[in-house]
Amino acid sequence: MKARVTVMLKDGVLDPQGEAVRHALGALGFGGVEGVRQGKLIELDLAEGTTEDEVRAMCDQLLANTVIESYRIEM
Amino acid sequence: MKARVTVMLKDGVLDPQGEAVRHALGALGFGGVEGVRQGKLIELDLAEGTTEDEVRAMCDQLLANTVIESYRIEM
């Protein structure tokens, strides 16, 4: 089975990587880009029977820094 | 308007970052993790009227390295 975890910086946390992408897009001539946020997408290939609670534990312990990042799990 | 771009390494391209995550999850006691692939998620805040073709051009020129990465656009 597959699980897909998306990890994004929380609102209000500065995202210098996204800001660099926004600036670079402007420099390439893409005018209409008002903001960019960059996050991580982690695709997990899991043994059958793995629960969402286990995936949540993985996020809390390793995949996300919950002080500054939020995550969403799709299974 | 918002667009969401996911960029993943193509199948067959080694993903050492994902492999490191898989290994670390195993070391933390999460046994059922058979594979991990890590990619990027880019959320774009765009001016109204930006077309999917423009977002595709952003991906081809900057957001993805299309030699080794594939991307998907959701608008």
Side-chain angles (χ1 to χ4, degrees):
Chain A
M1 61 185 291
K2 298 265 187 187
R4 167 183 279 251
V5 175
T6 57
V7 180
M8 297 295 289
L9 285 168
K10 288 180 180 171
D11 289 341
V13 178
L14 277 180
D15 180 0
Q17 197 175 15
E19 192 53 31
V21 170
R22 193 191 62 74
H23 188 263
L25 285 171
L28 285 170
F30 297 105
V33 183
E34 287 155 13
V36 179
R37 304 283 287 174
Q38 183 164 337
K40 287 182 288 187
L41 175 65
I42 300 159
E43 287 184 353
L44 300 163
D45 196 3
L46 298 167
E48 286 304 317
T50 307
T51 64
E52 190 167 333
D53 279 349
E54 285 177 86
V55 178
R56 192 168 295 117
M58 293 177 201
C59 291
D60 287 330
Q61 289 181 45
L62 182 75
L63 302 179
N65 175 355
T66 54
V67 177
I68 56 169
E69 292 172 327
S70 60
Y71 61 84
R72 210 179 59 240
I73 298 168
E74 295 160 60
M75 304 199 56
Chain B
M1 62 183 291
K2 298 264 188 189
R4 168 183 278 253
V5 175
T6 56
V7 180
M8 297 294 291
L9 286 169
K10 289 179 179 172
D11 288 341
V13 178
L14 276 179
D15 180 0
Q17 196 175 15
E19 192 53 30
V21 170
R22 193 192 62 74
H23 188 261
L25 286 171
L28 284 170
F30 296 105
V33 183
E34 288 157 11
V36 179
R37 305 282 286 176
Q38 184 163 336
K40 287 183 289 188
L41 176 65
I42 301 160
E43 286 184 354
L44 301 163
D45 197 1
L46 298 167
E48 286 304 319
T50 308
T51 64
E52 190 166 334
D53 280 347
E54 286 177 85
V55 179
R56 192 167 297 118
M58 294 178 200
C59 291
D60 288 329
Q61 288 180 44
L62 184 76
L63 303 179
N65 175 355
T66 53
V67 177
I68 56 169
E69 292 172 327
S70 59
Y71 60 85
R72 209 179 58 239
I73 298 168
E74 295 161 60
M75 304 200 56

